Amino acid sequence: MFIHVGPHKTGTTSIQEFLRQESGRVEDLGASVFLESSRIQRGRNDAARANAWALAHCFIRAELPTPMRLNGSQSSEKAACEQQVDRFRDWARTSRGDRLIVSSEAFSFLRTEAEAEALERCFEGLFDRIVPIIAFREVGKRRRSWDRQLDTMGVAGRIASLGDAERVDADWYFDWEALRGFWERFGEPRIIDYDAALEQDGSILPAFLAAAELDAIDVETDYFLNETLDRPRGVARVIDRIGRFTKRL
C-alpha cells in the first residue's frame, strides 16, 4: 500500500483530483485508489473524493482540535469511525489492484504512540508492504500558506487561543523529522521535495507518480491546482505555464 502524507499546500489537491478523475488509468497499471464519501459524517451523499480525511481522523488523537473538527466538517463519533475503518478494510481486502493508494493531508497530524498503534490495528493482516509518501516544503512558505488556509477556514482565531500542544500551527506540526520518524514505523518513506518538484516540472504530480510507481502515466490534463505563493494568476498564469512547458521541451 502507498499512503500519501501530504500536508496542506504541498500539491495535495492536485494529487487527489488526479487520483479521483484518473482512477481508471491508475487501475490499468494495477493500482486502486481509496475513494471516500462524507455521507457518514454530514448526513448527505457527497461525491466521492480521493482525500481520506474521515479515515485519517479515526486515528488522530481526540484532544487535537484539527481545522476539520473545529469547523464541524468532521465528526468524532466512535460509531462513524468504526464504519470508516470497516469500509477501508473491506475495500483493501476486496480490491483488485496489487497496489493500493490512500491519500490525505490529515495524516500529517499523526505523531503519538497511541495513534501509531491505532493505525497498526487498522492495517493488520492487509498489506505485505506499506510505503509512506511524504511531501516536504520550505518551512517559511509552508507556515505562510498554512496560516492563510486556517484563516480561510475560519478557525485561526480559535486556534490562537489554544496551548501549543493543541495548536496545529505550533512548531511541532512543522517538525518534519518527527513526521518522518512516525511513518518510518510502517515503512521506508519516499520523500518529495515540493519546491524542487515545482521548479522542475511545474507540478508535484510527476514526482508523486514516480514515488507511487505510476510514472508510466503521462500528465496530460491540467491538474496544477495548487499555486506557489508568488505564482501569477489569470492571463499571466497562462503565459507562465506556456513558458514552463516550453522550457521542458
Side-chain angles (χ1 to χ4, degrees):
M1 180 185 72
F2 294 92
I3 185 161
H4 171 226
V5 183
H8 195 83
K9 293 301 182 185
T10 54
T12 307
T13 303
S14 299
I15 290 169
Q16 291 166 354
E17 191 63 13
F18 180 90
L19 292 174
R20 184 183 69 83
Q21 293 190 25
E22 304 293 347
S23 58
R25 296 169 69 189
V26 171
E27 287 177 358
D28 288 343
L29 295 177
S32 296
V33 178
F34 181 64
L35 299 177
E36 182 179 274
S37 169
S38 58
R39 175 176 57 84
I40 294 175
Q41 284 69 41
R42 290 184 284 178
R44 64 173 185 266
N45 190 14
D46 291 346
R49 62 188 180 222
N51 181 355
W53 85 51
L55 178 67
H57 273 78
C58 293
F59 313 115
I60 298 170
R61 52 205 181 276
E63 65 271 20
L64 182 67
T66 68
M68 302 77 148
R69 287 170 174 167
L70 286 173
N71 70 11
S73 62
Q74 177 55 49
S75 169
S76 58
E77 295 179 6
K78 183 178 179 180
C81 279
E82 289 175 350
Q83 290 181 58
Q84 286 289 344
V85 171
D86 287 346
R87 177 175 177 263
F88 171 77
R89 288 182 59 83
D90 287 343
W91 169 80
R93 280 192 295 259
T94 60
S95 177
R96 293 179 298 174
D98 58 11
R99 286 165 293 155
L100 308 181
I101 301 174
V102 183
S103 173
S104 182
E105 62 266 31
F107 286 123
S108 64
F109 294 125
L110 300 175
R111 292 292 190 281
T112 71
E113 178 67 18
E115 291 167 334
E117 291 174 355
L119 271 177
E120 287 177 337
R121 288 193 295 271
C122 176
F123 295 159
E124 185 177 6
L126 294 177
F127 310 111
D128 295 327
R129 179 179 65 140
I130 297 175
V131 180
I133 301 174
I134 309 177
F136 291 115
R137 187 179 190 182
E138 192 276 320
V139 173
K141 293 179 180 177
R142 176 76 180 87
R143 283 183 180 274
R144 292 197 299 276
S145 63
W146 187 226
D147 287 344
R148 186 166 58 187
Q149 178 63 22
L150 296 176
D151 186 59
T152 299
M153 295 179 73
V155 299
R158 295 174 65 184
I159 289 173
S161 66
L162 301 171
D164 282 352
E166 298 174 303
R167 290 186 59 155
V168 295
D169 60 352
D171 288 345
W172 69 265
Y173 182 63
F174 300 94
D175 186 343
W176 298 142
E177 289 305 313
L179 179 63
R180 177 172 183 162
F182 178 92
W183 287 102
E184 283 178 343
R185 177 167 179 159
F186 299 91
E188 181 62 33
R190 296 183 181 178
I191 305 301
I192 299 174
D193 183 323
Y194 174 80
D195 299 300
L198 212 65
E199 178 66 26
Q200 176 175 314
D201 299 308
S203 166
I204 196 177
L205 273 174
F208 172 79
L209 293 176
E213 300 176 11
L214 295 171
D215 43 339
I217 298 177
D218 292 326
V219 184
E220 301 167 350
T221 312
D222 183 4
Y223 293 97
F224 300 177
L225 303 178
N226 279 1
E227 304 296 335
T228 61
L229 295 178
D230 302 317
R231 185 64 55 81
R233 300 178 181 275
V235 174
R237 176 172 175 243
V238 174
I239 295 172
D240 176 68
R241 285 192 181 166
I242 293 172
R244 287 186 285 115
F245 176 77
T246 303
K247 182 180 178 181
R248 297 198 298 271
L249 295 178

